Amino acid sequence: MVAMCPGEGHLISKSKTGPRSLASRSLESPAESPAPRPLPWAFWVPPASRPMTQHPRPAREDFCSLPVPAASHSYPSRVSQQHLPSMQKVGAPGGQDQASSGRGALGRSGVVLLTYVLAALELTCLFMQFSIMPYLSRRLGLDSVTFGYQQTMFGVLQLLGGPVFGRFADQHGARAAFTLSFLASSALYLLLAAACIPALPGVALLFASRLPGALMHTLPAAQMVIADLSTPEERPAALGRLGLCFGVGLIFGPLLGGTLSSSCGIQCPLIAALVITLLGALLSVTCIPASTKGAGAHAQPSPPGKPKASVFDLKAITRLLLQPGVLPVFLVKVICGFPIGLFMVMFSIISMDFFQLEAAQAGYLMSFFGILQMVIQGLVIGRLSSHFSEGALLRASVLVFSVVGLAMALMTNVFHFCLLMPGLVFSLCALNVVTDSILTKAVSASDTGAMLGLCASVQPLTRTLGPTLGGLLYRSFGVPVFGHVQFAVNLVVLLVLWRQPVPWKMDKAQ
């Protein structure tokens, strides 16, 4: 039988008389030496008269190199010395195995950078659309109630589509996920642009444009790629840098939307968004890897023999929440973020009625919010994650949420709110980044997309329930009620986290 030495040794043949080297065995007559069996972790060098054919590359890297037998040109059936090439990772230059991973010329850093660019493009188009939707609805003759219906419809579709899109990304890979999301965005902007044409039924097209929103999840797709290509130690900082993309979209999206609609008409921003999303789809097809699963150095492997469930299998989605330690962290994400979500949903009304701001002043305030998010999530959270555990950052975010909520109950003008905004943005960014990082570490690499899809459904849930519940609270108790609710809810969560901290296996990567 043939065995391989554990170190930098040689291929050895064991028999009844003891081990013999491959070179000595090759000098025996053909009658005495049986034909060598093909090895699963090596390939044979064919005779010089035949064309060279390379067999599929091995999936392991920890094999030994083979020695050179004497006068190997006279014995074509033997194995020649070659350090068998190992499978190169995403970041290796000149990466092999392009057929299976589709990485092309981009290395790991190139794929990550392109992911950030695609996320920034999608978020810019999304905020561009948000900035002109009220004006388009008014142009089509919709009242505030009907406008609320189509906003709720968009939130419900994103809420339902998030987990399904995550399952699709896990099963079909990053390239298919990005392409599907950008094509869905292109369909939405095309329908909105068509709604601007007077000869077409604008209201019907406006409501029809909400349907592709179920598949518009570029940000979860980007989070999945970042989580797959980063080590556990790097993941909070890598996910935090997506805040730079969010800030870019929040700042430049409304700016471009207002400028283009004022100078070229309300359909111009929609046409620009359509072109940008089609460009994003093209970049996704040509440059994004077909799959990033298992590319990270510390990726948690998938369970062996696991049956492949359907994309729409609700049991497979809910199974993730039942894994050890996942449900408590997910509930912290939902419960702590819901009060501030209610406030942000009602912010446009609060800025007009309570803060007495004009439209331009409200825009400046949102730009300040975007800049703070870029700095805090893109730079501060990453530095803090390298010095403190994720459990400590999670408790800190909940604590600051409680303090800011108490201060919000006492604020009386917009200046007070500006003073509170850094703490508010820090809590929001730390909560989202840390919980996403913990939850992606808690599941296998094949389920990171589904887990991030569940996390992405939290914001649509707030947008769905927020207008009704937030409007009721605002009319009944005024602005201070949002601060009281935020303080009470986060204080209870903080006490629970203090008594039952994050499990050590899901805490800062060892």
Side-chain angles (χ1 to χ4, degrees):
M1 59 179 291
V2 178
M4 185 176 59
C5 63
E8 189 67 20
H10 304 281
L11 197 65
I12 301 175
S13 174
K14 293 184 178 180
S15 65
K16 297 181 180 179
T17 59
R20 290 173 296 171
S21 67
L22 180 64
S24 61
R25 178 183 171 183
S26 63
L27 297 177
E28 298 174 356
S29 63
E32 297 177 359
S33 177
R37 297 180 181 178
L39 302 179
W41 38 262
F43 58 87
W44 297 93
V45 178
S49 59
R50 300 179 184 177
M52 178 72 72
T53 302
Q54 181 172 328
H55 290 263
R57 297 186 182 277
R60 297 183 56 189
E61 298 179 351
D62 52 347
F63 42 72
C64 300
S65 58
L66 301 178
V68 181
S72 60
H73 62 277
S74 303
Y75 302 94
S77 62
R78 290 190 316 274
V79 182
S80 67
Q81 177 192 14
Q82 295 196 22
H83 289 275
L84 297 181
S86 61
M87 178 178 289
Q88 300 192 17
K89 295 184 175 59
V90 180
Q96 307 290 331
D97 199 29
Q98 296 179 8
S100 61
S101 65
R103 297 182 185 102
L106 291 180
R108 175 181 177 275
S109 59
V111 172
V112 171
L113 179 60
L114 179 60
T115 300
Y116 288 134
V117 171
L118 292 177
L121 290 177
E122 171 64 17
L123 289 169
T124 300
C125 295
L126 188 64
F127 283 106
M128 191 187 305
Q129 178 227 163
F130 287 160
S131 66
I132 66 171
M133 281 300 295
Y135 303 98
L136 179 59
S137 300
R138 182 185 301 173
R139 176 176 173 176
L140 296 176
L142 301 182
D143 56 11
S144 59
V145 177
T146 310
F147 176 75
Y149 287 157
Q150 61 93 17
Q151 290 290 86
T152 302
M153 179 180 176
F154 185 77
V156 170
L157 287 172
Q158 285 222 309
L159 173 65
L160 299 177
V164 175
F165 181 87
R167 296 272 309 158
F168 175 86
D170 283 333
Q171 295 190 7
H172 298 277
R175 179 188 299 165
F178 269 108
T179 305
L180 177 63
S181 179
F182 275 110
L183 290 179
S185 301
S186 302
L188 183 140
Y189 299 128
L190 179 62
L191 290 172
L192 285 179
C196 300
I197 302 176
L200 298 177
V203 176
L205 290 173
L206 177 64
F207 276 88
S209 68
R210 306 296 92 186
L211 297 178
L215 302 175
M216 291 174 55
H217 294 282
T218 302
L219 188 58
Q223 290 174 323
M224 183 192 73
V225 173
I226 299 302
D228 289 341
L229 298 183
S230 61
T231 63
E233 296 84 354
E234 299 171 342
R235 191 166 302 172
L239 291 174
R241 282 190 285 271
L242 284 172
L244 295 173
C245 307
F246 192 90
V248 168
L250 186 60
I251 293 173
F252 292 100
L255 178 63
L256 291 175
T259 303
L260 293 176
S261 61
S262 300
S263 58
C264 305
I266 198 170
Q267 73 279 1
C268 186
L270 300 172
I271 296 175
L274 174 61
V275 174
I276 292 174
T277 51
L278 288 176
L279 175 62
L282 180 62
L283 290 175
S284 302
V285 171
T286 55
C287 301
I288 291 295
S291 178
T292 55
K293 299 298 179 184
H298 294 78
Q300 183 176 344
S302 305
K306 178 180 174 182
K308 186 176 182 180
S310 170
V311 171
F312 301 97
D313 190 354
L314 297 180
K315 292 182 179 180
I317 296 175
T318 56
R319 173 184 54 81
L320 297 178
L321 296 177
L322 301 179
Q323 293 188 13
V326 172
L327 186 59
V329 177
F330 186 77
L331 289 178
V332 169
K333 182 182 184 69
V334 175
I335 295 173
C336 292
F338 192 73
I340 187 59
L342 292 179
F343 178 81
M344 296 307 296
V345 166
M346 301 298 298
F347 182 76
S348 58
I349 296 177
I350 293 173
S351 62
M352 289 187 297
D353 297 344
F354 186 76
F355 293 143
Q356 300 294 319
L357 298 180
E358 300 293 336
Q361 295 172 332
Y364 296 150
L365 189 60
M366 292 306 297
S367 297
F368 177 55
F369 184 89
I371 293 173
L372 281 177
Q373 182 163 2
M374 288 179 62
V375 174
I376 293 176
Q377 185 171 337
L379 302 176
V380 176
I381 300 297
R383 293 182 180 272
L384 291 177
S385 64
S386 62
H387 295 87
F388 300 96
S389 68
E390 291 173 339
L393 289 177
L394 183 59
R395 289 189 291 270
S397 68
V398 177
L399 175 61
V400 177
F401 257 139
S402 301
V403 175
V404 171
L406 183 60
M408 285 175 60
L410 303 175
M411 69 179 180
T412 57
N413 53 53
V414 68
F415 178 71
H416 294 163
F417 181 68
C418 290
L419 294 179
L420 298 176
M421 196 174 284
L424 182 64
V425 173
F426 167 79
S427 301
L428 193 61
C429 294
L431 177 70
N432 291 330
V433 171
V434 171
T435 52
D436 288 349
S437 177
I438 292 176
L439 292 173
T440 53
K441 293 176 186 177
V443 299
S444 64
S446 61
D447 291 325
T448 54
M451 191 72 255
L452 290 168
L454 285 171
C455 295
S457 300
V458 175
Q459 188 177 4
L461 175 65
T462 306
R463 288 204 306 263
T464 302
L465 302 178
T468 302
L469 183 57
L472 179 62
L473 292 174
Y474 179 66
R475 285 197 305 267
S476 303
F477 306 101
V479 173
V481 70
F482 296 104
H484 289 137
V485 172
Q486 181 172 325
F487 170 73
V489 169
N490 284 274
L491 182 61
V492 172
V493 174
L494 180 62
L495 294 177
V496 172
L497 287 177
W498 210 271
R499 293 176 59 89
Q500 297 179 355
V502 177
W504 69 270
K505 288 185 178 180
M506 299 174 61
D507 207 343
K508 187 174 178 66
Q510 302 298 324

